Amino acid sequence: MGSLGALVKHPDDFYPLLKLKMASRHAERQIPSEPHWAFCFSMLHKVSRSFALVIQQLDTELKNAVCIFYLVLRALDTVEDDTSVATDIKVPILKEFYRHIYDPDWHFSCGTKNYKVLMDEFHHVSTAFLELEKGYQEAIEDITKRMGAGMAKFICKEVETVDDYDEYCHYVAGLVGLGLSKLFHACGTEDLAPDTLSNSMGLFLQKTNIIRDYLEDINEIPKSRMFWPRQIWGKYVSKLEDLKYKENSVKAVQCLNDMITNALIHVDDCLKYMSALRDPAIFRFCAIPQVMAIGTLALCYNNIEVFRGVVKMRRGLTAKVIDRTNTMADVYGAFYDFSCMLKAKVDKNDPSAQKMSSRLDSILKTCRDSGVLNERFIEVSLLIFMVDAVIFV
């Protein structure tokens, strides 16, 4: 529930943290009794507790489909992420993975810890997948096929240009956005969102993760994983790994700010996507990760600690975001607050400062033009949250 020291410093975190803890326990009690479904939802809690919590708000049919969709793509991602698997073995598996989800007898051992268990016991996921309605199965198969092909392409291809970066992020996350939109439409509660907006929802989250996880990825054993595009980092250093060295701190922060400026391209599309959602549960399911992403970028911007450890929002603030993201007014308010915080951190001498300021002005205008900022429940005091970063070295 967070350290005592953090609660003393932020006593207003207590109630949101308590609610989060109670909701998490409730979600754990909702695990189905059938062995294959029990495995799927138990595994979901192990590989992503926050996702497992938010998904519980969905109705049973959609919840089951989204759970399987997530686990299938998590398994696919586990194959891609395992740098110990030889390329000549990995690429065919990625390309054919969409076929394997129909075969309860298939499994491939890779990954570590809970991800290895997921791969070794993948027959449970396949069995549950085969019980979904055909419309859900077709959507999951389509996205898995396209994502696997895209991942295979980038196993043998470096991320050189910003276009490469966008293409890679489309394959590993934009397609998730497209798939979720298809699932929402298949359950009959939402119109089918335009692909461009669905894609941006995924790209914004993925780029945030890639930025935040620089040090973890660059230090990957036995081989580094590099997703930052050379077109950006090449303006600052000769090799991507040079950013982690203290003698390059100024250039590292400038490169980081450039990457965050690039990520903000997708915000307007994300706000359009969320504003069109009708179902409150689906809205919260989509909105909470987006608010967390803009908050994470606000914390990372101009922050050398991204190259020293893992930087993330404190748990109490995360609990507040989950508790208080209920309406589009809350979302506009959060994006407005975090954008104001970003704007206050921009150094006019930074190489990307002008472009960053322009993008932030656009986001702030969109939020003001919504006409609902005065209705929001997200606190303006979030603007001072940067002092509460949690850094693990």
Side-chain angles (χ1 to χ4, degrees):
M1 190 180 291
S3 69
L4 180 60
L7 286 175
V8 170
K9 189 174 181 181
H10 304 278
D12 55 334
D13 287 355
F14 178 78
Y15 184 58
L17 281 167
L18 179 62
K19 288 183 68 175
L20 183 62
K21 184 70 172 178
M22 293 174 65
S24 179
R25 288 181 176 175
H26 176 74
E28 290 172 358
R29 290 195 295 269
Q30 301 304 306
I31 292 175
S33 58
E34 300 95 327
H36 51 291
W37 283 109
F39 173 86
C40 291
F41 279 96
S42 295
M43 184 55 59
L44 189 64
H45 281 276
K46 293 173 182 176
V47 298
S48 179
R49 292 183 67 85
S50 58
F51 188 86
L53 178 63
V54 178
I55 199 179
Q56 292 297 329
Q57 301 172 87
L58 303 175
D59 67 65
T60 301
E61 181 181 295
L62 181 58
K63 177 175 64 177
N64 289 348
V66 172
C67 174
I68 299 307
F69 183 49
Y70 182 90
L71 291 178
V72 166
L73 299 188
R74 176 56 66 188
L76 184 65
D77 187 60
T78 300
V79 176
E80 186 213 19
D81 281 351
D82 194 332
T83 54
S84 69
V85 178
T87 299
D88 60 338
I89 295 174
K90 181 181 293 188
V91 169
I93 292 175
L94 293 173
K95 289 182 176 179
E96 295 297 314
F97 204 90
Y98 74 99
R99 300 183 190 275
H100 298 319
I101 60 179
Y102 286 94
D103 181 7
D105 294 325
W106 181 88
H107 81 278
F108 177 72
S109 186
C110 65
T112 60
K113 300 179 181 179
N114 288 322
Y115 301 104
K116 186 179 188 306
V117 177
L118 171 62
M119 298 305 298
D120 289 344
E121 303 290 329
F122 193 75
H123 63 276
H124 290 302
V125 180
S126 295
T127 300
F129 168 79
L130 293 171
E131 293 182 1
L132 298 176
E133 293 292 331
K134 188 172 181 59
Y136 294 130
Q137 290 182 359
E138 290 174 348
I140 294 171
E141 177 190 350
D142 174 58
I143 297 302
T144 305
K145 180 179 182 179
R146 293 161 67 183
M147 185 179 292
M151 287 178 168
K153 177 179 179 178
F154 277 91
I155 292 296
C156 308
K157 175 182 171 67
E158 294 290 333
V159 179
E160 296 283 346
T161 68
V162 171
D163 285 344
D164 291 341
Y165 182 44
D166 286 344
E167 183 182 9
Y168 172 75
C169 289
H170 165 72
Y171 286 133
V172 300
L175 286 173
V176 178
L178 269 66
L180 286 172
S181 293
K182 287 185 176 184
L183 296 180
F184 300 155
H185 180 64
C187 76
T189 57
E190 302 289 350
D191 295 331
L192 185 60
D195 285 355
T196 53
L197 301 188
S198 300
N199 188 59
S200 286
M201 289 284 284
L203 262 63
F204 186 57
L205 299 181
Q206 183 65 21
K207 288 185 176 183
T208 298
N209 290 339
I210 285 173
I211 291 166
R212 181 199 62 200
D213 295 341
Y214 164 84
L215 193 63
E216 178 184 342
D217 289 338
I218 208 72
N219 289 335
E220 180 76 20
I221 301 296
K223 181 182 177 183
S224 294
R225 301 167 62 228
M226 302 183 182
F227 303 115
W228 290 32
R230 182 187 297 270
Q231 187 177 344
I232 292 180
W233 63 258
K235 292 185 286 184
Y236 304 96
V237 288
S238 299
K239 296 183 292 184
L240 182 55
E241 57 264 35
D242 290 346
L243 294 173
K244 69 181 179 179
Y245 301 124
K246 289 186 179 180
E247 60 266 27
N248 297 321
S249 293
V250 172
K251 292 293 186 182
V253 169
Q254 290 175 345
C255 183
L256 170 66
N257 293 346
D258 207 342
M259 289 288 291
I260 293 174
T261 301
N262 171 272
L264 293 182
I265 294 173
H266 307 290
V267 169
D268 281 341
D269 277 354
C270 293
L271 292 173
K272 288 177 185 175
Y273 182 100
M274 290 183 282
S275 67
L277 295 172
R278 295 190 296 260
D279 184 272
I282 290 176
F283 173 80
R284 277 177 47 80
F285 174 81
C286 294
I288 289 170
Q290 298 292 327
V291 173
M292 293 293 295
I294 187 70
T296 299
L297 292 181
L299 181 58
C300 289
Y301 188 80
N302 224 25
N303 189 350
I304 189 59
E305 296 300 333
V306 171
F307 303 97
R308 305 288 180 262
V310 178
V311 177
K312 64 180 182 179
M313 288 161 42
R314 71 173 197 274
R315 194 173 179 195
L317 183 54
T318 298
K320 284 181 179 177
V321 169
I322 293 173
D323 184 44
R324 300 177 182 182
T325 304
N326 299 297
T327 68
M328 198 60 207
D330 298 330
V331 171
Y332 281 126
F335 271 79
Y336 186 87
D337 284 348
F338 285 127
S339 295
C340 284
M341 180 185 141
L342 277 161
K343 196 170 180 66
K345 295 175 74 176
V346 175
D347 180 348
K348 65 180 181 180
N349 295 317
D350 188 274
S352 58
Q354 186 174 356
K355 188 181 294 185
M356 181 65 165
S357 294
S358 176
R359 289 190 180 152
L360 290 172
D361 287 342
S362 176
I363 296 169
L364 291 169
K365 183 178 186 301
T366 298
C367 294
R368 284 193 298 265
D369 290 350
S370 70
V372 298
L373 288 184
N374 290 336
E375 302 172 19
R376 61 197 170 94
F377 193 57
I378 298 290
E379 301 172 340
V380 176
S381 61
L382 291 182
L383 291 175
I384 63 171
F385 92 111
M386 77 281 275
V387 300
D388 302 310
V390 179
I391 303 167
F392 297 96
V393 179

